[in-house]
Amino acid sequence: QVQLQESGPGLVKPSGTLSLTCAVSGGSISSSDWWSWVRQSPGKGLEWIGEIYHSGSTNYSPSLKSRVTMSVDKSKNQFSLELRSLTAADTAVYYCARPGVTVGNAFDLWGQGTMVTVSS
Amino acid sequence: EIVLTQSPGTLSLSPGERATLSCRASQSVTNTYLAWYQQKPGQAPRLLIYGASNRAPGIPDRFSGSGSGTDFTLTISRLEPADFAVYYCHQYRRSPGTFGHGTKVEIK
């Protein structure tokens, strides 16, 4: 059974860079075409950050595009998110998720989420 | 960007009652790419409905989805205690994918 697990620092300074990794276990990262990142600010709704194809192609949210880079490491069976020039508005729970081909590419698999606080 | 507006913001109901949640899109969404999720405090969202009306594996049949174009509905036929949560609609046809702001179903 495929599982996702996010990892990264819980606290990052303003103007700094956030780096998160999503480890895929129980299956190959190549078993799905796309992998996504979604975030949720405290008490707020869900925001799609972007997606990466297992070969490395990407799509990013226009509102974050200038600050986001996603990458995939097949050898480690994981994919990553980098978000630059952080402000307090980037404080959120960050989730990695999988669009499932058996459910029409809705997000059928989610990591548990990792809380990231941007503060000095 | 397609904006999804969910209503009501909060729905106060008793166990056993029927819940009807609305999701309206700012432009037409292909049915195939409209989903509903349930989220409980401290947990990741859980997929309930995909393709506007298809239940995800393991989802009880008291959950049903309907709608087309710009108007979609999630119905919970008889609320059980485990159903009190926040529900989000999601369109993933056009990048960027977008979510509604959620409807909280709370115990009356």
Side-chain angles (χ1 to χ4, degrees), chain A residues 48-51 58-62 64-65 68-71, chain B residues 95-96:
Chain A
W48 182 80
I49 300 171
E51 60 187 0
T58 55
N59 291 309
Y60 301 139
S61 170
L64 297 170
K65 187 174 184 177
V68 170
T69 301
M70 294 181 184
S71 60
Chain B
S95 182

Side-chain angles (χ1 to χ4, degrees), chain A residues 38 40 44-48 51 59-62 95 102-108 110-112, chain B residues 32-33 35 37 39 42-47 50 56-57 88 90 92 95-97 99-101:
Chain A
V38 176
Q40 186 170 33
K44 299 286 184 63
L46 300 160
E47 179 183 15
W48 182 80
E51 60 187 0
N59 291 309
Y60 301 139
S61 170
Y95 295 100
T102 60
V103 291
N105 290 318
F107 293 177
D108 66 342
W110 296 69
Q112 66 183 28
Chain B
T32 309
Y33 301 103
Y37 301 85
Q39 187 178 35
Q43 296 184 15
R46 176 175 74 140
L47 178 66
Y50 67 95
Y88 295 95
H90 171 215
Y92 46 101
S95 182
F99 294 86
H101 283 91

Side-chain angles (χ1 to χ4, degrees), chain A residues 4 20-24 28-38 48-61 68-74 77-82 95-100 105 107, chain B residues 95:
Chain A
L4 304 179
L20 296 176
T21 296
C22 181
V24 180
S28 170
I29 197 168
S30 298
S31 65
S32 289
D33 289 341
W34 293 93
W35 300 90
S36 293
W37 289 95
V38 176
W48 182 80
I49 300 171
E51 60 187 0
I52 185 165
Y53 197 70
H54 62 76
S55 65
S57 299
T58 55
N59 291 309
Y60 301 139
S61 170
V68 170
T69 301
M70 294 181 184
S71 60
V72 64
D73 187 336
K74 290 185 179 180
N77 218 38
Q78 64 187 32
F79 59 103
S80 299
L81 167 70
E82 180 181 278
Y95 295 100
C96 53
R98 178 190 73 181
N105 290 318
F107 293 177
Chain B
S95 182

Side-chain angles (χ1 to χ4, degrees), chain B residues 2-91:
Chain B
I2 297 177
V3 176
L4 300 179
T5 301
Q6 291 188 240
S7 61
T10 301
L11 200 50
S12 298
L13 296 167
S14 300
E17 291 193 293
R18 182 185 187 90
T20 303
L21 288 67
S22 174
C23 176
R24 177 162 291 178
S26 60
Q27 52 187 289
S28 183
V29 175
T30 305
N31 290 12
T32 309
Y33 301 103
L34 193 287
W36 290 91
Y37 301 85
Q38 177 193 69
Q39 187 178 35
K40 297 180 179 180
Q43 296 184 15
R46 176 175 74 140
L47 178 66
L48 299 175
I49 300 289
Y50 67 95
S53 61
N54 303 291
R55 274 186 298 277
I59 301 303
D61 61 7
R62 65 180 181 274
F63 292 93
S64 63
S66 63
S68 64
T70 60
D71 290 300
F72 298 90
T73 300
L74 174 69
T75 301
I76 310 171
S77 59
R78 295 170 307 281
L79 282 165
E80 296 195 0
D83 300 337
F84 291 92
V86 180
Y87 294 83
Y88 295 95
C89 57
H90 171 215
Q91 72 79 22

